[in-house]
Amino acid sequence: MDDIAADPSHPRYASLLMRHRLEVAARKGMLADSAMIAHGRGEAFDYLLGERTTDSAARAARQALATLQAAERPVLSINGNVAALACDEMLQLANHLSCPVEVNIFYRTPERMEAILDHMNERNQALGLTVPVLGHAPDAQIPGLKGPRAACHRDGLLNSDAVLVPLEDGDRCNALVAMGKSVVVVDLNPLSRSAQQGTITIVDEVSRALNAMLELARVEGEVQVDPSYDHAAVLNEGLAEMLASLKR
Ligand code: ATP
């Protein structure tokens, strides 16, 4: 890493660190060509948020954790950007929930799948965890999706009742919602189709959102689902916080 990104006191440290993680992942063959574009879109929204976890995002993270804890068969979905940016946090959350992670990518090639699976398995071992890492042998299809991006595991995404899908594309999010699952989205863009269609959407940077959930789990253990949680209202609060930053 260059000197600026290596210095935690640098004002852009967190942002530079995330870019560096993407560069490393790209060199390992984990990313699609469009990965940097998706990241750049996220960065722009994060700038408007002030690169912090807002009150509404913290409330969404609490409801997300409670929903995943209450689920019978939760699964955490991993794509290339998520594996690059927040692999350890995804594995730690899966370990807390005693559930699998499943690698499920939009532009599926055998080489990219292998690179991401290798990375996940290496980190699983390095962290001393034994989280089941799925994606290597898909034996089912997500109804309503065409082509390789429909591929999934029967004992993973297909039969899950709650899924965490950070940085997901709108079509797949919609297909998972249509299957009747609780779909927890992490997306910095409150206007994206995924953010709008999800059951619970955390408008926050993916590693911050996951660390917020891990911290809640560490401090409080089991968290209760809030029956009065209002997805649309929380999403609108996130958008309002961004718009307010433009007026400052
Ligand atoms: P949709 O299909 O849901 O309308 P899209 O086509 O804009 O969305 P994609 O390019 O499939 O979205 O996914 C990238 C999404 O992830 C973008 O909405 C972007 O804001 C968000 N994003 C990118 N990087 C991060 C990050 N580090 N943390 C959280 N969200 C991110």
Side-chain angles (χ1 to χ4, degrees), residues 114-131:
E114 193 181 328
I116 298 170
L117 286 162
D118 284 353
H119 179 69
M120 297 300 302
N121 285 318
E122 269 169 38
R123 292 307 306 160
N124 209 7
Q125 210 174 4
L127 293 168
L129 302 178
T130 53
V131 172

Side-chain angles (χ1 to χ4, degrees), residues 9-243:
S9 68
H10 189 278
R12 310 291 318 142
Y13 175 72
S15 169
L16 291 169
L17 183 64
M18 291 301 154
R19 287 185 180 186
H20 178 72
R21 287 184 183 171
L22 285 174
E23 285 165 17
V24 172
R27 282 199 288 275
K28 287 187 179 176
M30 291 163 53
L31 303 185
D33 291 344
S34 58
M36 303 296 183
I37 300 171
H39 186 74
R41 179 178 284 169
E43 277 192 345
F45 284 103
D46 204 15
Y47 213 88
L48 293 176
L49 271 185
E51 296 172 322
R52 72 200 158 94
T53 298
T54 59
D55 290 347
S56 61
R59 286 211 309 286
R62 171 177 285 276
Q63 184 76 351
L65 178 66
T67 301
L68 292 166
Q69 287 176 335
E72 278 177 32
R73 293 177 308 280
V75 173
L76 313 188
S77 177
I78 307 264
N79 64 21
N81 283 40
V82 174
L85 298 172
C87 172
D88 288 8
E89 289 88 347
M90 289 295 276
L91 288 167
Q92 284 158 346
L93 185 61
N95 183 58
H96 167 74
L97 296 165
S98 303
C99 79
V101 298
E102 181 165 340
V103 178
N104 194 270
I105 59 179
F106 192 88
Y107 300 108
R108 183 183 280 258
T109 66
E111 295 78 17
R112 275 191 68 218
M113 285 299 292
E114 193 181 328
I116 298 170
L117 286 162
D118 284 353
H119 179 69
M120 297 300 302
N121 285 318
E122 269 169 38
R123 292 307 306 160
N124 209 7
Q125 210 174 4
L127 293 168
L129 302 178
T130 53
V131 172
V133 178
L134 306 178
H136 54 288
D139 55 359
Q141 303 266 310
I142 299 172
L145 291 180
K146 290 200 186 95
R149 67 195 171 120
C152 68
H153 280 234
R154 187 169 297 282
D155 289 338
L157 281 172
L158 189 81
N159 285 326
S160 62
D161 54 348
V163 287
L164 173 65
V165 287
L167 286 52
E168 187 56 275
D169 105 279
D171 288 349
R172 196 158 41 203
C173 177
N174 200 19
L176 294 168
V177 171
M179 290 172 80
K181 302 178 191 305
S182 296
V183 179
V184 177
V185 170
V186 182
D187 195 325
L188 278 158
N189 176 5
L191 300 172
S192 80
R193 292 176 303 154
S194 300
Q196 299 277 333
Q197 291 163 2
T199 319
I200 299 158
T201 295
I202 309 171
V203 178
D204 203 358
E205 192 278 325
V206 62
S207 66
R208 288 202 309 266
L210 290 166
N211 279 310
M213 282 196 269
L214 287 169
E215 181 65 5
L216 260 179
R218 192 185 65 76
V219 174
E220 297 189 27
E222 292 285 311
V223 178
Q224 294 306 307
V225 172
D226 174 1
S228 66
Y229 184 84
D230 184 338
H231 164 69
V234 174
L235 205 51
N236 283 335
E237 266 182 64
L239 186 57
E241 282 168 291
M242 287 181 189
L243 294 174

